[in-house]
Each structure stands twice: as structure tokens, then as C-alpha cells.
Amino acid sequence: MSKLTAGKANRRPFVRPMAGWYRRDPFFVRYMWREATALAVLLYAVVLMVGVLRLGQGEAAFDGWLDALRSPASIALHLVLFVAMVFHGWTWFEVMPKTMPILYSGGRRVADATITHAGVIAAVVANVALLALAWLLWGGRP
């Protein structure tokens, strides 16, 4: 056996450590948080689906669901879900400049932050307009 093959026989193959890969890089930590907030969206969708189910079961069942939503635990849950959804939405707007064609204005490239902020502002304006329309249609009643 030559010296070259004898040295190779004693070497172990490199095995890349995979445990905790997402905690080593801040980019991946943020990515995992963004992905985890999708669970908040799922949970709130389930809450709304239960409301629709209770509505179909009658007025008493729906009123019970509304009473459950007024509990302190439900309010705390909704606050946590709201924060998670705001973060989730913000990260979608941060991704927007990376996923759309490059925009130019006056011969210069539009900055990523400008695109992100324009998306957020458009979403806020659309939500305020929808809330105002709902308020007008229902005569200011909750």
C-alpha cells in the first residue's frame, strides 16, 4: 500500500453538521420567524371558521362564540396574533422588491425601501377605505 492510499484509509469523510443550521445565520433566524408567523394566520383562519360554523348552528351558538371572543384569554391571543400578522405582512412587503421586475423612474432604479414603503402605504390606504366604506354601509354600528 502506498503512502497516499494509506493516508486516505485513515481519514473520515466530512459530514456537515445540520442540527441548528437556521440558528447560525441571522438571515435564517429571521426567515424562520417569518415562516412561523404563517401559523398565526392559520390559527386566526380557524377562529373565523369556527365563527362561521357557530353562525350556521344558530343565534345562541354564535352569541356563545362572541362571548368566548370577549374573554381575557381570547383578547390576549388576538393581540399576539395581531403582532404576528403585522410582522408577517411587513415581511411580505420586504420581499416584494426582490420578486418583482426592476423599476426605473427618471432613468434611475427605484430603491427597495421605496417599493416596500409604497406597498405598505397602499395596503394601509386600502384598509382605511374599506373600514370607512363598512362604517358608511352599516351606519356607524359595530
Side-chain angles (χ1 to χ4, degrees):
M1 191 181 286
S2 71
K3 288 183 181 181
L4 278 175
T5 55
K8 287 183 180 179
N10 294 333
R11 288 190 208 170
R12 292 184 181 195
F14 174 72
V15 178
R16 185 177 178 161
M18 293 303 289
W21 61 268
Y22 53 88
R23 291 179 290 193
R24 282 182 240 156
D25 186 347
F27 172 81
F28 290 121
V29 171
R30 185 168 166 80
Y31 173 78
M32 294 305 286
W33 275 108
R34 176 176 53 238
E35 294 302 308
T37 58
L39 296 175
V41 176
L42 171 69
L43 184 57
Y44 195 69
V46 169
V47 169
L48 292 178
M49 285 190 289
V50 168
V52 170
L53 176 70
R54 294 295 184 203
L55 183 61
Q57 292 173 342
E59 186 177 352
F62 186 70
D63 287 341
W65 179 75
L66 288 176
D67 288 339
L69 290 181
R70 292 183 185 107
S71 72
S74 177
I75 292 171
L77 173 69
H78 278 76
L79 287 174
V80 170
L81 292 177
F82 178 74
V83 169
M85 285 188 190
V86 167
F87 178 74
H88 188 78
W90 178 260
T91 59
W92 272 104
F93 286 112
E94 282 183 330
V95 169
M96 193 167 50
K98 297 174 179 93
T99 59
M100 61 188 291
I102 297 172
L103 295 178
Y104 291 94
S105 177
R108 297 179 62 193
R109 183 175 180 189
V110 178
D112 288 353
T114 303
I115 295 169
T116 299
H117 292 124
V120 170
I121 290 168
V124 168
V125 168
N127 277 290
V128 169
L130 286 172
L131 287 173
L133 180 63
W135 187 79
L136 287 173
L137 290 175
W138 281 285
R141 293 179 308 218

